[in-house]
Amino acid sequence: MKIDIVSIFPTFFDVLDISLLGKARQNGVINLDVHDLRDFTFDRHRTVDDTPYGGGAGMVMKPEPWGLALDEILGITEGQAQDDQAKKPADQDAPAQTDADAATTAADGSIPPLVIFPSPAGDVFNQAMAKELAHEDHLVFGCGRYEGIDQRVFDYAEQHARVRLVSLGDYVLNGGEVATMAMIEAIGRLIPGVVGNPESLTEESHEDGLLEYPSYTKPSTWRGQEVPPVLLSGNHGAIEKWRYEQRVERTRRVRPDLLPPE
Ligand SMILES: Nc1ncccc1[N+](=O)[O-]
């Protein structure tokens, strides 16, 4: 999988050089590039934001740097970008192609990349979405800051790729970097070859709608606390039954909303 990240804090993602995702990058399972949005500015201060039209507090991210970053990452030629700017009246005979059509199949019939903008206004990210996105060939994460990104950037991106606003949850972060990191970890670990033993991906919380069972390891007695005897019994049927019961009980107690209707 190819992953591109656009951010004004590119070093934020240095942590993706370590652990399982770092190994996946070294062995080519994941090809990840981080782009500094300020590299797509040309003024002395490398300006990426400005005051909002219509007034209001805070600053909005300017469209120009984002447009150039997306052009480079999505392989949009200068000519194509200029065409977009000076949109010619539609050719009457040409079949009507909505932006949506344009974005779901590229000229050569290939599936264009998926551009994800982390946003509290997006669809809420969950394990089902992580599994869905783990099948993508090319993900682009656009990390907004300030009060957000000029809306025309989303509209421009939709002319050349599939675009989704995705939220990590109903709270407000200062930007998209933390959400992008969480999504890359949740998606990346599902890509074959990233996690050593694929077996460890089953029976996890949210994998099949139930929370995971409690885990124990040596020593069997620790500070007066014993490991549940069934786990020492060697009776695999009894162990599997106990673990399932623990998952249901924990889900009922902590996340009853995940249980199927009675
Ligand atoms: N919750 C968020 N707040 C700001 C930016 C992004 C966010 N998110 O969840 O993706």
Side-chain angles (χ1 to χ4, degrees):
M1 178 187 285
K2 172 82 171 94
I3 299 177
D4 286 290
I5 303 171
V6 181
S7 168
I8 58 171
F9 297 118
T11 55
F12 190 97
F13 297 97
D14 288 354
V15 72
L16 292 177
D17 284 333
I18 59 176
S19 184
L20 289 177
L21 288 175
K23 283 197 192 73
R25 292 178 71 183
Q26 281 141 32
N27 61 32
V29 172
I30 293 177
N31 173 12
L32 187 141
D33 285 314
V34 185
H35 308 264
D36 183 345
L37 184 66
R38 294 189 194 278
D39 289 347
F40 299 93
T41 63
F42 302 100
D43 64 304
R44 191 153 51 92
H45 299 295
R46 308 183 85 201
T47 309
V48 292
D49 65 319
D50 206 331
T51 51
Y53 277 122
M59 303 287 271
V60 174
M61 297 191 100
K62 294 165 60 61
E64 301 96 323
W66 278 102
L68 293 171
L70 291 172
D71 286 351
E72 179 170 297
I73 292 167
L74 299 175
I76 300 166
T77 57
E78 185 57 34
Q80 196 174 346
Q82 280 165 351
D83 286 352
D84 289 333
Q85 280 170 355
K87 203 102 178 155
K88 301 179 185 63
D91 168 356
Q92 300 312 320
D93 303 332
Q97 187 179 59
T98 63
D99 284 349
D101 299 346
T104 51
T105 49
D108 60 5
S110 63
I111 303 284
L114 176 63
V115 183
I116 295 175
F117 291 99
S119 163
D123 299 316
V124 178
F125 185 72
N126 58 24
Q127 190 66 13
M129 193 188 295
K131 286 162 80 170
E132 175 198 336
L133 297 182
H135 295 293
E136 290 287 342
D137 291 329
H138 185 182
L139 292 177
V140 181
F141 288 90
C143 299
R145 281 265 148 180
Y146 310 107
E147 296 312 305
I149 303 170
D150 186 300
Q151 176 60 37
R152 290 168 292 181
V153 173
F154 304 117
D155 302 338
Y156 179 74
E158 278 187 347
Q159 293 166 20
H160 301 283
R162 294 167 296 140
V163 175
R164 283 182 82 168
L165 270 60
V166 180
S167 168
L168 213 53
D170 296 338
Y171 39 79
V172 183
L173 301 168
N174 289 326
E177 284 79 7
V178 168
T180 293
M181 187 79 79
M183 287 189 255
I184 288 177
E185 177 154 327
I187 295 162
R189 64 194 297 277
L190 299 177
I191 295 171
V194 174
V195 170
N197 171 13
E199 275 300 301
S200 63
L201 295 176
T202 58
E203 288 193 345
E204 292 185 313
S205 288
H206 304 290
E207 177 52 39
D208 59 1
L210 289 177
L211 301 183
E212 59 204 13
Y213 50 75
S215 297
Y216 298 84
T217 186
K218 301 179 187 60
S220 60
T221 302
W222 175 71
R223 296 188 179 182
Q225 301 178 81
E226 303 289 332
V227 168
V230 67
L231 297 180
L232 309 176
S233 68
N235 178 339
H236 296 293
I239 291 169
E240 202 169 319
K241 180 172 178 294
W242 179 85
R243 282 177 166 173
Y244 180 74
E245 288 164 354
Q246 289 292 310
R247 297 182 73 199
V248 172
E249 190 280 327
R250 176 180 267 185
T251 307
R252 181 173 292 126
R253 178 164 39 85
V254 178
R255 289 293 305 275
D257 57 297
L258 293 178
L259 286 173
E262 300 285 350

